[in-house]
Amino acid sequence: MTLAGSVVALGSSPIADDYIRMNFTVEDGLPDNVVNAIVQTANGLLWVGTDSGLASFDGREFIAIDLHIPGSPPQGGVDSLVEASNGDLWVGTHAGVVLIPGSALNQFDPAQLTYYQLSPGASDEAESLYQTRDGVIWVGTTHGLYRQESGKFVSVISSLSVNRIAESLDGHLLLITGRGFVEWDGHAVIEHPGLAASLGVHDDEIVNVFQDRTGTMWYCTETGIVRRGRRPFARLQPYQVSRTKAFRTYEDPQGGVWVVSGIGLYRAIADRLETPASDIRARSFYAAKDGELWVGTNGNGLIRLKHRVVRMYTSADGLPNDIAMAVLSSHDGKIWVGGNCGLSVFEGERFKVYREKDGLLNSCVWALAEDQNRDLWIGTYGGGLFRFRDGHFGQYSMEQGLVSKVVLQIAVAHDGSLWMATPDGVSHMQNGHFQNYTAAEGLSSNQVFSIYQDHSGGVWAQTQAGIDRLVGNRFVPLPSAQTRDGPLSIKLAEDSLGDLYAMNSPKGISLIENNRLVAVDQNLRVRDMVESSKHDLWFSGIDGIFRVALNDLKKSITDRDAPLDYARFDRADGMNSIQCSVGAPNMTITPDDKLWVATVKGLAMLDLARLQQANSKPTIFVGGVTIGKNKELAGREVVLAPGTHHVELHLEAVDLASPEKVRLQYRLDSVDPGWLDADATRTAIYTSVPVGTHAFHVRASGSDGAWDRIGIVYNITQHPFFYQTTWFLLASVSALVFLLFAVYLIRVRQLIQQTHVRHEERLVERERIARELHDTLLQSFQGLTLHFQRARNLLPERASEAMRTLDRALDGAEQAIVEGRDAIRDLRSPGPAAQGLAEEITSLGEELVANGNNRDPVQFRVVVEGSPQTLHPSVHIEIFRIAREALRNAFSHSQARRIETEVAYGGNLFRLRVRDDGKGLDPKVLNRAERIGHWGLAGMRERAQRLGGDLEVWSEPGAGTEIELRVPAPIVYGSSSVRSNFWLFWKKKKNDHEHHA
C-alpha cells in the first residue's frame, strides 16, 4: 500500500489538491492488479472484481472469496458487480452469474451461493450486470441480453453481444452492442441511425452512453466525450482531454459526473475536465457516499482517492524551512510563523521571512505573542525577547533584566504586561522593567515550561516539579499537581466557560478544580488547546490533531464508563507528520475559521467551515470464531461444547473512509468487569466462559471519532457438563437436603437410643448390684449363718472348736463387708487372678465342704480336661462367679452327697459343668429360671449372655442337677483384639437371635 500526497501551492485550488491518493496492489493482498468492477455493500465492505476473482476489503485487509460451487464450472475472473436493492450481491463472472445473499456478506459462507447458467452450450461470460429502478437484474453477454424472472434468467435479446447497460430517466435500457448503441423500451429494440455520424464516429465507435439526473446525455466515443441536452453545451476543456478516447461515465452520489478516458480520470466541472490525480489509467470506478473515490486500473491495482482535510505549507510556499515552531494569528488576520530559521508572515500569497539581516538578531523563534498595542513579541532560544513594531525589531535580554536568554512562552496579561516562561524562572515585564521569580520566590522549580493568566487574573506557572500559582508576590505550589503526586503538566488553557485545563506529559488532560487536578482523559497525548466558534476544542499533540466537542469533554468527567468522542487528524488526512511542534502557541484559529498548527514538517491548515462531519457509523459484526484450533462461521451466536477452554472472536468494524481511525471496545457479561480496548488484531480471546448464555457487547467509533454506544450484542452459550446442569444441581441440593434430613433422623434415633441405653444401663446397674449383693454380701451372710450354726452345735462341749469357728465367722463378716462395698461401688479389680480357675474352684469347694452342716460330708471334686490355659481376666471373673453361684446353690439346696465340677479347655470351646446327685430342681423354678426372691439362676444366665456364651440347666426331681456353661474359645482365651472383636460379634449375634426369638 502506498500513500501519495501533493504539496499545495498557496492560493491554488485545483481538484488534484482536494484528494489524497492511496494505492493497493497484489502485495497488499489484492487478488490481481487488473480491477474490472468495484461496489460497496450496505455493511460497508468494498467488493473488488479482478481477473483472478473476487475479494472483499474492510479498509485493512483483502479477503479472497472462493466462488466455487460444486457441480458448476470454475468461475474465473469477475467482470461486473451489482448490489441489489435487497442487499444481495450479484457477481458476473467468466462462467455466468453468482448470487451472494446479503446474509452471507458479513460471514461468507460458500454453501449459500447460487449459480445461474444463462444458456446451455454458449459462452456464459457476464460482461455487464445492471439493476434497474424497478429492481430487475439484467445481464449482458456475448450472445444476448437476459432478465431475471421467477428465480431464473430468461433471454430478452438473442444473438447480439451486449457489453454495456445503463438506464435512462424514462426507464429505457441504454445498450452498447456489437452493432453499436441501441435502446430497449421493454418490448422492442430502438435503433438510432445517424447518431454516430452526428458524433463524428462510426456506429461501433460509441463505447458508452449515459444519462445523468439532469437529463444530460453523455456519449463516450473513440474520439472523446460529448454532452447533449436540452440546451447546447460548450466543448469541454482542455480540448486535448475531451478529444481523447473515453470509455465510461459515472455519476457520484452528489451528482458529479466522472469520465474515464484513455489518459486518466476526470470530473466534469462546468465546462472543464479536471483530474483528481495524474497518471491514472482507470478501468473501473466507484464513488462512495462519503465522497471517497475508488478506481480500478488495468495493471496498477486499486486506487483510493480521499478528500484532503489538512493543507500543508512548507518551504515550497516560502517558509524558511519545513519546521514550524510557533504560529500566531494577529489582529489583522495575518499568520505569523516562528521557526528555527526566522520569522515568517503570510499576507495572502506567499510567506515573507524576517532573519538576522532584518534585525531579528536570533532567528531561532520559539514563542510568539501580540500585546494590546498590537506589537508583536518574539521569544527566541538564545537571544532573549524581541519586539516587532513598525517594521523594526527591539531586543530585551539578560542585560535588560530578563532572567534567561531562552524564552519558551509569552503570556500577555490583562493589564498589558508580559509574563515569560524560561528555563531559569519567570520574568514579568511591565513598562520596560523586569521582575524575576525563581525558587527563592516560591517556584517549585526554576525549569518553567509555560506561563498562563486565567480569566480572573490568576497567574499560573508550569514547572518541572508541578503547577504553581502566584499569590501576592510569591508562587505557591498546587499540592495535588506536584509531580511526585501526579502527572507532569506542560501547558494550561481555558475554555469559553472559564474552566482551566492542564495538558500533561506524556499523556492525558486534567481539569483544575478547587485547587486540585481532576483527570478528564488519560490517553490523548496533547500539547496545546484552542476553542472554535462552534465550541469544539482542538488539541495539538504528538499523535496528530484532535477535535473534541466541549460538551463531550464535560460528560466524560461525570460518566467514566462512556468513551470520549474525539476525531483525530493525521497523515491519512494530509499531514506530512503527525508530530506537532513544542513552540508556544503551536496552534491558532483565524477570524475566517481556519485552524493553523505548527508541525515538525510544515504548517498545517484545516478549514473548519468546510470540514465535513461524517454521519455514518461503522458497521460492526463478528466476522468469525475460533474454537480451540478450528475457525468457524460466527453465525448469529456461538454455542460452545462442555469443557471449551479457548475461544477467539474476530471483530469487524468497517469504515472505509478512515479504517485506521476506528476504535473498538468489547465486553462479555459475567466475565469482563468493564469495557476492554481491542488491539490491532481485533480479536477477543477467552480461556474460560461460565456455563450459560452471555451477551458479548461490541461498540466502535468511526472516522469522526463518535462512538456507536449501542453497538451489537452477540450471544455466547457455554454448554455445561452434566454435573454443571441445573437439574443436576437441583438433584444434588435435593439429595443433600435428604441426606441432612436422614442424618437428622439418625441423630434423633441415636439420641432416643442413647436415652434407652442410659435407661437400660440403670436397670442393668440395678440388676448387677442385686446380683453382686446376692453373690457376695448375701452369700457371705449365708456362710456366716452356717458358721454360727456350727458354733452353736459345738457349744458347750467343744468350746475351743466353736471359738475357732466364730473366728472364721468374724473373718467372713469382714470379708462380706469388703465384698459388699466393692459390689456397690463396682471397684473389684479386673486384674489377673492369682490362681488358676480350677484351683479357685477347688478352694471354694473345699471351703464349702468345711462349712457344711450335713452329718455326712459331701464328696467334692474338680475334673480338668485339656491343657489348662490362662483366661482373660474379666472372663475369668465372670466364669468363676457362675461356678461359685452354681456350687453354693448345690451345697445349700441340693442335699447332694456328691458334687463335681468339670473344666474343659477345648480348642474351639471352653466348657464348665457343675453337677450333683441331689434332689433336683422344682420344674416350676426351672421354667422360671429363678426362685421367687432369689437371683442365682437368673444371674448366671445373664452373666453367660454377657460373656457371649450359653448356659444350660438340666434337672429332674430326685435325679440331681447339671449346669453347663459353653463359651467360644476366642472369647475365653486368645489375643485381646481378636477376643474383643469376636466377643462383640458373638454377643450381637446372640442378642439378635434372642430378640427375634
Side-chain angles (χ1 to χ4, degrees):
M1 178 179 66
T2 57
L3 178 69
S6 58
V7 176
V8 181
L10 219 56
S12 64
S13 57
I15 188 176
D17 298 336
D18 293 335
Y19 291 92
I20 301 171
R21 175 175 172 172
M22 184 175 293
N23 288 55
F24 302 91
T25 63
V26 292
E27 286 78 11
D28 305 301
L30 190 67
D32 197 295
N33 282 338
V34 176
V35 179
N36 302 316
I38 309 167
V39 71
Q40 185 179 18
T41 49
N43 64 355
L45 291 175
L46 193 75
W47 300 82
V48 184
T50 74
D51 274 358
S52 297
L54 180 67
S56 65
F57 183 54
D58 63 359
R60 301 170 64 244
E61 62 176 341
F62 290 92
I63 298 178
I65 304 300
D66 184 7
L67 296 177
H68 176 68
I69 302 173
S72 66
Q75 300 303 312
V78 175
D79 291 327
S80 53
L81 295 168
V82 166
E83 183 192 25
S85 54
N86 64 355
D88 295 342
L89 180 63
W90 292 88
V91 184
T93 73
H94 291 174
V97 177
V98 176
L99 170 64
I100 305 177
S103 60
L105 295 180
N106 288 354
Q107 305 162 29
F108 180 73
D109 183 4
Q112 298 187 47
L113 299 180
T114 303
Y115 168 68
Y116 295 89
Q117 185 176 14
L118 300 176
S119 61
S123 172
D124 275 342
E125 181 175 358
E127 294 189 344
S128 180
L129 278 173
Y130 192 85
Q131 184 182 38
T132 51
R133 288 186 290 272
D134 59 3
V136 177
I137 301 294
W138 298 81
V139 183
T141 72
T142 55
H143 50 82
L145 178 68
Y146 292 83
R147 178 178 63 198
Q148 185 197 26
E149 290 183 5
S150 302
K152 63 180 180 179
F153 284 93
V154 298
S155 176
V156 176
I157 301 176
S158 60
S159 302
L160 185 63
S161 174
V162 178
N163 54 56
R164 291 287 183 270
I165 306 174
E167 185 179 15
S168 64
L169 296 181
D170 59 7
H172 289 188
L173 294 184
L174 308 178
L175 308 175
I176 301 299
T177 73
R179 299 201 305 263
F181 168 62
V182 299
E183 286 188 54
W184 171 260
D185 64 0
H187 304 284
V189 173
I190 302 175
E191 304 279 354
H192 289 277
L195 174 62
S198 68
L199 298 175
V201 296
H202 296 96
D203 289 341
D204 59 356
E205 292 181 332
I206 299 177
V207 180
N208 189 63
V209 178
F210 171 76
Q211 187 178 31
D212 64 24
R213 65 185 64 179
T214 66
T216 301
M217 299 294 297
W218 296 78
Y219 298 96
C220 294
T221 72
E222 292 285 347
T223 60
I225 182 74
V226 178
R227 296 179 297 173
R228 288 186 177 177
R230 298 176 181 176
R231 62 177 182 83
F233 286 100
R235 183 180 296 276
L236 291 167
Q237 299 295 327
Y239 178 78
Q240 66 272 20
V241 176
S242 65
R243 299 309 295 170
T244 301
K245 179 179 180 179
F247 298 103
R248 295 286 296 274
T249 50
Y250 300 87
E251 189 173 21
D252 62 30
Q254 293 74 34
V257 176
W258 296 82
V259 180
V260 174
S261 76
I263 59 175
L265 174 68
Y266 294 86
R267 181 182 179 188
I269 302 177
D271 295 330
R272 294 190 56 81
L273 292 172
E274 296 185 357
T275 181
S278 58
D279 301 327
I280 293 181
R281 298 296 181 263
R283 185 178 180 87
S284 54
F285 177 86
Y286 180 80
K289 293 180 181 180
D290 56 11
E292 287 194 342
L293 307 177
W294 296 89
V295 184
T297 68
N298 191 19
N300 291 322
L302 179 68
I303 298 174
R304 183 182 77 172
L305 298 173
K306 178 182 177 180
H307 274 292
R308 179 183 292 276
V309 177
V310 180
R311 305 278 182 177
M312 294 301 301
Y313 298 88
T314 63
S315 57
D317 305 295
L319 287 173
N321 63 23
D322 289 344
I323 301 177
M325 293 298 296
V327 59
L328 177 72
S329 172
S330 61
H331 69 280
D332 53 5
K334 293 181 180 179
I335 300 298
W336 294 86
V337 183
N340 288 335
C341 297
L343 176 69
S344 305
V345 59
F346 176 61
E347 298 175 331
E349 293 296 333
R350 290 183 63 82
F351 285 96
K352 179 181 179 180
V353 181
Y354 294 92
R355 296 186 174 89
E356 286 85 347
K357 63 182 180 63
D358 302 302
L360 183 62
L361 301 182
N362 187 300
S363 60
C364 186
V365 178
W366 200 274
L368 296 172
E370 185 181 35
D371 65 17
Q372 298 171 354
N373 299 321
R374 299 180 177 178
D375 291 340
L376 182 69
W377 293 89
I378 303 103
T380 67
Y381 204 93
L385 179 68
F386 290 85
R387 180 178 66 185
F388 184 69
R389 175 192 290 177
D390 299 330
H392 300 284
F393 292 93
Q395 185 178 17
Y396 300 84
S397 190
M398 296 183 69
E399 293 77 10
Q400 288 76 33
L402 189 65
V403 72
S404 174
K405 290 184 179 182
V406 176
V407 177
L408 301 177
Q409 187 179 12
I410 307 169
V412 179
H414 301 333
D415 60 4
S417 62
L418 301 180
W419 290 87
M420 284 147 286
T422 80
D424 300 308
V426 172
S427 288
H428 182 209
M429 178 182 179
Q430 191 170 25
N431 299 323
H433 299 284
F434 288 92
Q435 181 178 357
N436 297 325
Y437 298 84
T438 62
E441 287 73 34
L443 283 176
S444 55
S445 171
N446 287 340
Q447 180 71 38
V448 182
F449 300 128
S450 63
I451 193 80
Y452 187 82
Q453 185 179 42
D454 61 29
H455 68 282
S456 63
V459 177
W460 302 78
Q462 291 74 50
T463 75
Q464 181 70 38
I467 300 177
D468 303 331
R469 184 179 183 183
L470 183 66
V471 179
N473 289 323
R474 290 185 62 82
F475 279 94
V476 176
L478 190 66
S480 64
Q482 301 308 296
T483 54
R484 65 178 180 274
D485 300 321
L488 175 62
S489 299
I490 57 175
K491 190 70 68 70
L492 293 180
E494 280 182 293
D495 61 23
S496 56
L497 300 178
D499 290 328
L500 186 62
Y501 298 91
M503 272 57 72
N504 303 323
S505 176
K507 60 183 180 180
I509 304 170
S510 298
L511 172 67
I512 299 180
E513 185 177 58
N514 298 326
N515 286 330
R516 63 187 183 90
L517 287 180
V518 178
V520 176
D521 177 83
Q522 298 180 354
N523 297 314
L524 298 180
R525 302 200 298 171
V526 296
R527 287 176 170 169
D528 208 347
M529 182 188 90
V530 295
E531 185 175 351
S532 71
S533 58
K534 295 181 179 179
H535 300 295
D536 287 333
L537 300 180
W538 290 86
F539 296 90
S540 60
I542 301 176
D543 299 325
I545 303 169
F546 301 89
R547 178 187 64 200
V548 182
L550 179 58
N551 290 337
D552 292 338
L553 193 66
K554 298 295 186 186
K555 291 178 183 177
S556 68
I557 300 176
T558 57
D559 188 0
R560 294 296 181 180
D561 187 56
L564 179 64
D565 290 345
Y566 64 84
R568 177 172 177 259
F569 300 87
D570 50 25
R571 284 177 56 83
D573 300 291
M575 294 183 70
N576 292 344
S577 171
I578 62 173
Q579 183 175 348
C580 300
S581 299
V582 296
N586 70 359
M587 61 192 314
T588 186
I589 298 179
T590 55
D592 59 354
D593 215 20
K594 289 184 173 63
L595 175 69
W596 300 79
V597 183
T599 79
V600 297
K601 287 190 177 181
L603 181 65
M605 187 274 289
L606 289 82
D607 190 343
L608 305 185
R610 297 179 57 189
L611 193 63
Q612 297 180 354
Q613 294 278 359
N615 296 320
S616 61
K617 297 179 180 179
T619 302
I620 307 171
F621 57 92
V622 179
V625 176
T626 300
I627 302 175
K629 296 182 179 180
N630 302 319
K631 191 167 185 179
E632 302 176 4
L633 293 174
R636 296 182 180 274
E637 65 176 357
V638 63
V639 178
L640 305 177
T644 300
H645 296 295
H646 185 84
V647 181
E648 296 181 7
L649 303 168
H650 306 285
L651 313 180
E652 297 291 346
V654 182
D655 186 345
L656 290 179
S658 296
E660 68 282 348
K661 297 181 182 179
V662 173
R663 291 174 287 157
L664 270 169
Q665 290 184 335
Y666 61 89
R667 186 190 74 224
L668 180 60
D669 289 349
S670 304
V671 176
D672 298 322
W675 289 92
L676 303 178
D677 293 319
D679 58 18
T681 65
R682 293 185 177 179
T683 301
I685 301 176
Y686 293 94
T687 56
S688 179
V689 178
V691 171
T693 299
H694 311 277
F696 180 68
H697 303 268
V698 186
R699 65 185 183 187
S701 68
S703 56
D704 61 349
W707 282 89
D708 177 4
R709 283 171 166 75
I710 299 177
I712 66 167
V713 177
Y714 180 79
N715 286 333
I716 301 176
T717 300
Q718 174 67 69
H719 278 177
F721 287 107
F722 76 93
Y723 54 79
Q724 296 174 309
T725 58
T726 302
W727 67 264
F728 182 82
L729 294 177
L730 291 176
S732 300
V733 171
S734 301
L736 179 60
V737 171
F738 177 79
L739 180 60
L740 292 175
F741 184 69
V743 171
Y744 168 76
L745 293 179
I746 293 173
R747 180 56 180 162
V748 170
R749 290 185 61 185
Q750 287 178 342
L751 293 175
I752 296 174
Q753 193 172 16
Q754 288 175 2
T755 303
H756 290 166
V757 168
R758 292 193 190 101
H759 181 67
E760 290 189 6
E761 285 177 349
R762 292 176 183 175
L763 294 178
V764 169
E765 182 67 11
R766 292 172 62 185
E767 292 178 355
R768 183 189 67 80
I769 293 174
R771 285 194 309 271
E772 295 296 331
L773 290 176
H774 177 272
D775 293 345
T776 57
L777 189 61
L778 294 180
Q779 291 189 10
S780 295
F781 286 164
Q782 185 178 11
L784 289 174
T785 301
L786 294 176
H787 284 296
F788 292 151
Q789 181 63 43
R790 177 176 176 78
R792 173 69 182 84
N793 294 335
L794 293 175
L795 287 176
E797 291 83 5
R798 299 162 64 181
S800 60
E801 189 176 349
M803 290 295 293
R804 289 193 297 272
T805 301
L806 287 175
D807 289 338
R808 287 196 296 271
L810 291 174
D811 292 338
E814 185 177 351
Q815 179 66 26
I817 293 172
V818 174
E819 289 178 350
R821 183 172 60 248
D822 290 345
I824 293 172
R825 297 182 181 180
D826 195 23
L827 295 177
R828 182 176 293 276
S829 174
Q835 297 176 312
L837 180 63
E839 287 77 6
E840 283 188 315
I841 295 174
T842 300
S843 299
L844 176 64
E846 290 176 351
E847 181 181 355
L848 292 173
V849 170
N851 293 332
N853 56 3
N854 295 335
R855 293 181 179 181
D856 298 323
V858 177
Q859 296 180 12
F860 173 76
R861 70 171 184 158
V862 176
V863 179
V864 178
E865 293 184 7
S867 299
Q869 298 189 38
T870 302
L871 307 185
H872 190 275
S874 59
V875 177
H876 183 124
I877 292 172
E878 294 295 324
I879 294 175
F880 174 74
R881 286 178 176 177
I882 292 173
R884 182 176 62 182
E885 178 67 19
L887 288 175
R888 283 181 175 176
N889 285 338
F891 276 94
S892 299
H893 305 295
S894 68
Q895 300 177 6
R897 293 188 301 272
R898 289 190 301 274
I899 299 175
E900 182 179 277
T901 301
E902 179 183 330
V903 181
Y905 297 94
N908 297 321
L909 192 68
F910 172 85
R911 187 173 65 253
L912 172 71
R913 287 183 183 151
V914 178
R915 49 181 172 261
D916 62 70
D917 58 357
K919 64 180 180 179
L921 291 175
D922 186 346
K924 295 180 180 180
V925 175
L926 183 61
N927 293 335
R928 289 197 305 266
E930 63 182 22
R931 293 179 184 176
I932 297 175
H934 294 267
W935 293 90
L937 193 57
M940 286 189 290
R941 290 189 183 277
E942 289 178 2
R943 290 184 187 280
Q945 184 178 358
R946 287 174 57 188
L947 282 175
D950 289 325
L951 183 73
E952 291 187 1
V953 180
W954 177 87
S955 180
E956 288 289 340
T961 301
E962 180 176 303
I963 298 174
E964 182 181 59
L965 172 67
R966 295 188 303 275
V967 183
I971 295 177
V972 179
Y973 38 75
S975 66
S976 177
S977 60
V978 172
R979 182 205 62 80
S980 299
N981 292 337
F982 188 85
W983 191 7
L984 293 175
F985 171 76
W986 183 266
K987 285 178 65 178
K988 182 177 184 304
K989 182 175 181 181
K990 292 283 293 179
N991 291 340
D992 291 346
H993 174 73
E994 293 176 359
H995 174 74
H996 290 297

